[in-house]
Amino acid sequence: MSVRLFERKEHALSYWKYRISPSEELINKILNFLEKHRSRPFELVVDVGCGSGQGTVLLGPHFSKAVGTDISPAQLEMAIQHSTAENITYRECPAEQLPFENATVDLVTSMVAFHWFDQPRFLKEADRVLKPQGCLALLNYTMDMELSYGDCSDALNQICKEVYDALMPYSNSYLDANVFDPYKKAYETLEYPDKEWHENLWVRKSVPVSNYIGMVESFSNYQAILREDPEKARRLSQDTTERLLKAMGVTSPDTEVVMSIRYYCLLARKP
């Protein structure tokens, strides 16, 4: 069964507001892989564990129909609130029980969610719903995000590393020590004829310092601290903000930095 952690409305709002969407380059990498095996127009994409829908809306323009699925009503409510395209819909369901007929889906994606699933059951379910020559795309990013600002980038990233180290003891026990591992294992064991593995796919975006803090606060391990000791979570956010601003020589949390996120992904074609 999928792990349920992203249920609270406040968390869903934070997730939608601060999480960085995959880049156009990443989406195009998926679409180019799909187009090698299936001709346009593409009919149906299912984005599993879609959260508040940031990835689903990027896929929507390329398909006749895009469906985002998630087990969190709060996340789906947020996705629906911010969805305007008529061809994009959302369904509440577990990743391991997709409400689609056999061999009806061109592309199954999961963006930053696969590690929360019952992975063998999900892969079997994805195989069931994919058409012949249909494709699977699994994306995730590493937690060690980098910040750039003037000549103090090294100092900023040392602060960030200390924050990540503080969060690690609060990681959910369901996860492997390295979240990277389930993705690489899927690549190595999936018996599909065409597979690709990509690492070091960098997404860079200018964001205010406050948005970087907001993204950290959307992490499941930060949320674990917040549930256990709200004051400790508040201090971590406040201290990190103050240290970053001091290192930058500025006073406003609206000051923008370049945030770099390193993605990796598995692309695979069903026979």
Side-chain angles (χ1 to χ4, degrees):
M1 174 179 287
S2 302
V3 177
R4 305 186 71 129
L5 288 177
F6 305 91
E7 302 286 325
R8 295 167 54 248
K9 287 189 176 183
E10 297 85 353
H11 193 185
L13 176 60
S14 176
Y15 201 97
W16 175 82
K17 188 174 181 180
Y18 297 117
R19 288 291 177 112
I20 301 297
S21 300
S23 65
E24 183 178 346
E25 181 182 0
L26 274 174
I27 296 298
N28 285 336
K29 185 176 288 290
I30 296 171
L31 295 172
N32 290 339
F33 182 81
L34 177 62
E35 195 165 19
K36 287 195 300 185
H37 306 293
R38 298 197 63 82
S39 60
R40 292 178 183 263
F42 304 139
E43 295 179 357
L44 175 60
V45 57
V46 177
D47 184 26
V48 185
C50 67
S52 47
Q54 291 100 322
T56 316
V57 298
L58 297 177
L59 292 165
H62 305 280
F63 292 81
S64 299
K65 185 177 181 181
V67 182
T69 75
D70 207 280
I71 57 172
S72 168
Q75 291 279 4
L76 292 175
E77 180 182 344
M78 195 63 55
I80 292 168
Q81 284 180 15
H82 296 93
S83 177
T84 57
E86 292 183 357
N87 71 320
I88 298 177
T89 58
Y90 295 94
R91 301 283 296 273
E92 181 182 342
C93 66
E96 305 82 5
Q97 296 175 308
L98 300 175
F100 303 95
E101 298 296 326
N102 294 353
T104 56
V105 180
D106 293 286
L107 174 67
V108 172
T109 62
S110 179
M111 306 187 195
V112 199
F114 173 67
H115 48 280
W116 294 116
F117 302 161
D118 181 326
Q119 292 134 26
R121 287 184 59 204
F122 166 72
L123 291 173
K124 184 177 180 180
E125 185 71 344
D127 182 78
R128 179 186 69 79
V129 302
L130 280 172
K131 297 175 181 178
Q133 311 297 312
C135 295
L136 172 69
L138 306 177
L139 282 70
N140 196 28
Y141 50 70
T142 63
M143 192 174 175
D144 54 342
M145 299 162 197
E146 298 181 359
L147 300 181
S148 300
Y149 183 85
D151 60 358
C152 63
S153 299
D154 289 345
L156 299 184
N157 289 318
Q158 179 58 38
I159 295 168
C160 293
K161 181 180 183 304
E162 292 170 15
V163 173
Y164 306 145
D165 289 344
L167 293 175
M168 285 305 294
Y170 294 87
S171 296
N172 189 275
S173 59
Y174 182 82
L175 296 180
D176 292 334
N178 188 345
V179 179
F180 173 95
D181 291 345
Y183 294 81
K184 194 60 182 291
K185 180 179 178 181
Y187 170 72
E188 292 170 347
T189 60
L190 195 62
E191 295 182 353
Y192 279 9
D194 291 311
K195 299 184 291 185
E196 294 182 4
W197 176 256
H198 300 276
E199 297 182 32
N200 299 320
L201 303 171
W202 288 94
V203 172
R204 294 178 173 86
K205 184 176 181 180
S206 293
V207 299
V209 171
S210 58
N211 280 38
Y212 168 74
I213 297 298
M215 185 166 183
V216 170
E217 291 175 348
S218 75
F219 292 163
S220 59
N221 39 19
Y222 180 91
Q223 292 290 315
I225 301 175
L226 186 63
R227 289 191 298 270
E228 178 182 296
D229 188 341
E231 178 59 22
K232 182 176 182 178
R234 186 196 66 80
R235 286 198 310 271
L236 178 61
S237 295
Q238 182 175 324
D239 291 350
T240 302
T241 301
E242 292 175 354
R243 293 179 66 198
L244 290 173
L245 295 180
K246 183 177 180 180
M248 294 163 63
V250 300
T251 57
S252 172
D254 293 330
T255 305
E256 292 199 344
V257 294
V258 175
M259 181 163 63
S260 299
I261 302 175
R262 181 162 57 95
Y263 276 83
Y264 48 92
C265 74
L266 156 65
L267 305 173
R269 173 183 66 85
K270 179 178 176 178

